[in-house]
Amino acid sequence: MRAVLRRDFWFERQRVNAQRAIFHQWQMLEDSGCIENFRIAAGLSSGLREGWFFADSDAYKWLDAAARILRDFPDPRLEELADGFTALLAKAQMPDGYLFTYNQIHFPGTRWQNLQIEHELYCHGHLIEAGVSHYQASGRTRLLEIAVKAADRIVADFRGKGPAFTPGHEEIEIALLRLHEVTGKAAYLELARQFLEQRGRDPLFPLRILRENASAQKRGRLVRQQKQAYLQAHPGCPTHRLPPGNAAPGPRSAHLRWNLSALSGKYFQQHAPIRRQTVPVGHAVRFAYLQTAAAVLARRTGDRTLLPAMLAAWERMVTRRMFVTGGVGALPALEGFGNDSELNPEYAYAETCAALGCLFWNWELAQITGEAQYSDLFEWQLYNAAAAGMGLAGDTYLYNNPLACCGGVARKPWYAVPCCPSNLSRTWADLGKYIYSAQDGELRVHQYISSELDEGPLRLEMRSGLPWQGHARIEITAAGNAQPVRLLLRRPAWAGAVQVRVNGEPLPELEPAPAAPPEPTDSGYDPRAAGWIAVERAWQAEDVVEIRFEMPVRRLRAHPRVKGHAGKAAVTRGPLVYCLESVDNPGTDIFEARVDPNSLKPAADDALLGGIVKIEGQTVDGQPLTLIPYYLWGNRGESQMTVWVKEE
């Protein structure tokens, strides 16, 4: 069920995505040599392959994003680029379906060498997802045929194999399940199930990872030697220059902890069978993709045995291992989870792709359970942990998303590992599928995003004021039949008092808000306080539902067990976390300023960053303070920033 967005906050983000970001990303892929790699693999060009061994995936995610964008924002320029790249992939793909430029260029005749490290299956997964997205958006089969050839190769090579043949970076599982959805071919679902079920069952995993690491390093040295030899033989050969790697501050122990996590299998989620993985560990993106795939499998097959561990892992993440922005991943180097309550705001890695992976996972859990807490966390992560990743103009990005920056972290046009930009673009382009869901005479409104829905038991239009104003208006444009339909409206965890009117008449009685969870979260934000408001009736065209949320300025506090947070609060309003940024507070030490909590009030500002609601206040000694939404920080050059503010 997919709605079409209408003009509001998220429509404007989609417009920037379609008109600016997607073209900027293509140019960066060209400038860094990523697209040229496919020309070399296809025999259309000669030269040096550039980028990491998994660089193919960045191009596939771009193509995935382009396909989704073209559905709602037709553009001949973008269509030409996408079709041209699809034709190039057809030439680069080997006759048997294999497509991995790292091996095809540097090690022809070899494949599936180091599955935990070199990401062949991860790259093929994003190729397959691009094919599925293109088919679903356009109905055309050219890219889907490439995806099917790749998937059939993987099925032939991996079906029936054991735990030594599972991927190190989860993604292929999601791709195979999506491909099964559009083709109905059972082999894709069964191989996805096999990859999931075989994880964590290799008793010799530490030896395997040591062996693979040695092999990958040896191959890397050979690649560097090949490049040196080529440059000596072709002194005038133009070379592509990769941008610098992503820098992130962290504890001295970060690299040691990465090594220990990798050897134990936790980094790869290979430490235990999936039904025993009840604690979020390791690389945060891998973890989120694994959980998403397991949830999709559970929903498609009805295998409820997958749920207990998954729900326990979600609970542990939300209560002990998630930042107040919804970001996950406490440690650089590891790019993943730390220990319980390890939530240092400056070290917070909170990779953009990890937030996006959590969106996918929360959506699946919302479909399986019907519980509002998953849709609530989706919203919170969407507006904060994920939205921070792309700048307002669409051509600068954040890879990691700290909650405090003393300098050195800034938005950049591209990265040596540019996994986040195109992942953001494909998610923004597809936001319409995360707003509503319907089954068994019910229609759920998961997100308050201005949109039109033209399928399901009700046709409707929604106009939303979020994230700036707490109201939404839903007009029924047509009812599928005369039977009553239960309309379920999410009551956000952040909302104060809620009012609902139907055709101008207030609902006589609202269900009470859910009781406070028994134990507070470490971050201070708790999606478990969300619930549903039910309105059931035989709907008619022109019926109108209006819902208003009180949006007070709130101060969230971390649990006392979280180090370094005593006497501090995170300021929020509605679904937005706010922050102090140095550019708005000249002459003020934002890390030491003590806010007068009674002074905080929302204030509209049409000039600041394109028109937002900021929060104004003052320090206890009368100095003015301005807080802006966290997702906007870093749009005006390098600066200092903090989410956690000292209180009186």
Side-chain angles (χ1 to χ4, degrees):
M1 174 172 284
R2 196 183 71 86
V4 177
L5 270 60
R6 291 298 176 240
R7 292 191 180 276
D8 78 341
F9 178 90
W10 281 110
F11 178 86
E12 289 305 312
R13 299 288 282 189
Q14 280 194 333
R15 184 183 60 78
V16 169
N17 189 40
Q19 296 177 1
R20 175 70 172 168
I22 196 70
F23 293 103
H24 169 79
Q25 292 166 18
W26 176 263
Q27 191 59 53
M28 293 296 100
L29 290 167
E30 283 279 27
D31 291 349
S32 63
C34 184
I35 304 301
E36 186 69 9
N37 293 341
F38 292 94
R39 298 188 184 106
I40 297 170
L44 303 176
S45 178
S46 61
L48 301 171
R49 186 191 180 278
E50 296 290 351
W52 286 83
F53 35 72
F54 49 79
D56 295 0
S57 64
D58 302 315
Y60 299 148
K61 280 186 285 186
W62 179 90
L63 187 55
D64 190 340
R68 302 185 198 199
I69 286 170
L70 284 166
R71 177 186 51 216
D72 296 324
F73 292 86
D75 187 320
R77 297 175 301 154
L78 184 57
E79 187 167 7
E80 182 179 1
L81 288 174
D83 287 349
F85 185 44
T86 300
L88 176 58
L89 293 180
K91 292 179 176 139
Q93 187 174 37
M94 297 181 71
D96 68 354
Y98 184 80
L99 180 51
F100 187 59
T101 65
Y102 184 69
N103 277 343
Q104 288 171 251
I105 294 171
H106 294 300
F107 306 103
T110 67
R111 55 184 64 175
W112 319 128
Q113 294 291 297
N114 299 301
L115 291 176
Q116 299 306 302
I117 296 173
E118 291 185 354
H119 295 11
E120 281 168 276
L121 287 170
Y122 171 83
C123 288
H124 280 83
H126 278 302
L127 171 63
I128 293 167
E129 282 214 74
V132 173
S133 294
H134 185 265
Y135 172 72
Q136 290 176 327
S138 69
R140 297 160 58 196
T141 61
R142 189 178 188 187
L143 186 55
L144 183 65
E145 290 166 0
I146 295 172
V148 166
K149 280 183 67 177
D152 288 346
R153 175 74 272 140
I154 293 167
V155 168
D157 288 350
F158 286 90
R159 182 165 48 189
K161 292 193 174 180
F165 296 89
T166 52
H169 195 313
E170 300 89 334
E171 154 60 24
I172 184 63
E173 301 90 343
I174 298 173
L176 289 170
L177 289 166
R178 289 191 66 198
L179 189 60
H180 169 261
E181 181 182 10
V182 299
T183 65
K185 188 171 180 179
Y188 303 145
L189 184 146
E190 290 308 316
L191 185 57
R193 190 203 306 268
Q194 174 186 308
F195 283 144
L196 291 169
E197 295 284 7
Q198 292 291 341
R199 297 194 77 79
R201 297 181 183 276
D202 183 358
L204 300 178
F205 185 84
L207 294 177
R208 178 151 63 94
I209 200 62
L210 288 171
R211 184 173 61 251
E212 285 198 18
N213 187 59
S215 171
Q217 290 187 358
K218 179 180 178 180
R219 282 156 59 89
R221 289 193 295 270
L222 291 173
V223 168
R224 290 191 290 274
Q225 292 170 9
Q226 290 176 17
K227 288 185 176 182
Q228 290 172 359
Y230 187 90
L231 288 173
Q232 289 174 357
H234 304 81
C237 173
T239 59
H240 298 273
R241 300 191 66 179
L242 291 177
N246 180 52
R252 293 180 180 178
S253 63
H255 287 282
L256 173 61
R257 293 173 70 178
W258 182 91
N259 288 326
L260 294 174
S261 182
L263 283 171
S264 69
K266 290 181 178 180
Y267 177 79
F268 309 94
Q269 293 78 46
Q270 292 276 25
H271 59 294
I274 190 169
R275 288 174 182 77
R276 287 171 31 210
Q277 294 192 29
T278 59
V279 178
V281 295
H283 191 272
V285 181
R286 288 169 163 89
F287 166 81
Y289 283 8
L290 172 66
Q291 298 298 332
T292 299
V296 173
L297 182 66
R299 181 168 58 84
R300 296 267 181 85
T301 65
D303 184 356
R304 307 290 291 189
T305 66
L306 290 164
L307 293 182
M310 189 187 311
L311 298 181
W314 186 92
E315 188 88 5
R316 186 71 163 269
M317 180 184 77
V318 168
T319 57
R320 298 289 178 267
R321 300 191 174 191
M322 188 177 79
F323 292 94
V324 72
T325 57
V328 294
L331 294 173
L334 186 66
E335 295 188 317
F337 295 96
N339 299 318
D340 284 353
S341 310
E342 188 176 5
L343 299 172
N344 185 306
E346 187 177 3
Y347 295 166
Y349 202 72
E351 184 181 338
T352 300
C353 282
L356 298 175
C358 285
L359 295 186
F360 310 150
W361 183 28
N362 278 305
W363 175 250
E364 292 299 327
L365 289 178
Q367 306 314 297
I368 293 171
T369 68
E371 294 181 14
Q373 60 186 350
Y374 305 113
S375 301
D376 205 81
L377 181 55
F378 183 105
E379 177 187 62
W380 196 261
Q381 291 177 317
L382 177 67
Y383 278 103
N384 300 294
M390 183 186 292
L392 280 177
D395 58 0
T396 58
Y397 304 89
L398 287 172
Y399 189 112
N400 56 300
N401 294 280
L403 278 68
C405 175
C406 300
V409 177
R411 296 183 181 274
K412 292 189 172 74
W414 209 239
Y415 293 92
V417 180
C419 56
C420 301
S422 50
N423 209 4
L424 281 163
S425 283
R426 69 182 188 138
T427 306
W428 286 180
D430 230 13
L431 278 181
K433 77 177 188 180
Y434 299 113
I435 302 174
Y436 308 98
S437 68
Q439 65 177 32
D440 301 330
E442 291 184 345
L443 178 64
R444 292 179 187 266
V445 180
H446 297 269
Q447 306 301 329
Y448 296 102
I449 295 175
S450 294
S451 53
E452 292 184 13
L453 180 66
D454 197 28
E455 59 178 303
L458 299 175
R459 311 295 191 268
L460 57 83
E461 295 181 6
M462 176 162 56
R463 294 292 180 267
S464 170
L466 290 181
W468 312 122
Q469 291 86 37
H471 62 78
R473 184 180 189 274
I474 300 171
E475 180 179 349
I476 309 301
T477 57
N481 54 59
Q483 298 300 315
V485 174
R486 194 167 183 244
L487 184 65
L488 290 162
L489 309 168
R490 180 172 55 86
R491 182 201 292 265
W494 50 259
V498 179
Q499 296 179 339
V500 178
R501 292 178 178 270
V502 179
N503 297 330
E505 296 294 324
L507 285 188
E509 190 173 320
L510 289 183
E511 296 179 12
E519 187 175 3
T521 65
D522 279 353
S523 71
Y525 161 68
D526 197 335
R528 298 172 299 174
W532 295 105
I533 298 169
V535 186
E536 186 169 4
R537 58 186 286 150
W539 298 94
Q540 298 180 355
E542 299 186 1
D543 282 346
V544 174
V545 178
E546 296 172 284
I547 183 166
R548 290 190 173 274
F549 313 103
E550 188 180 56
M551 291 177 58
V553 175
R554 297 193 303 158
R555 288 171 291 127
L556 304 182
R557 296 176 182 84
H559 196 281
R561 62 178 157 251
V562 182
K563 294 180 180 178
H565 287 62
K568 296 180 181 179
V571 178
T572 72
R573 179 176 179 267
L576 296 177
V577 175
Y578 280 71
C579 68
L580 287 172
E581 191 172 10
S582 56
V583 67
D584 299 309
N585 300 277
T588 299
D589 185 341
I590 61 173
F591 302 104
E592 294 299 327
R594 294 184 177 274
V595 66
D596 175 1
N598 297 319
S599 70
L600 298 174
K601 62 183 185 299
D605 191 325
D606 292 333
L608 181 66
L609 296 168
I612 67 169
V613 173
K614 61 185 180 181
I615 292 177
E616 294 179 336
Q618 63 183 34
T619 63
V620 292
D621 56 1
Q623 296 298 311
L625 290 175
T626 297
L627 294 96
I628 64 167
Y630 168 77
Y631 81 87
L632 285 171
W633 89 275
N635 273 280
R636 294 163 290 178
E638 191 167 335
S639 62
Q640 296 182 324
M641 177 275 299
T642 182
V643 166
W644 292 99
V645 181
K646 287 189 174 182
E647 295 185 288
E648 181 180 11

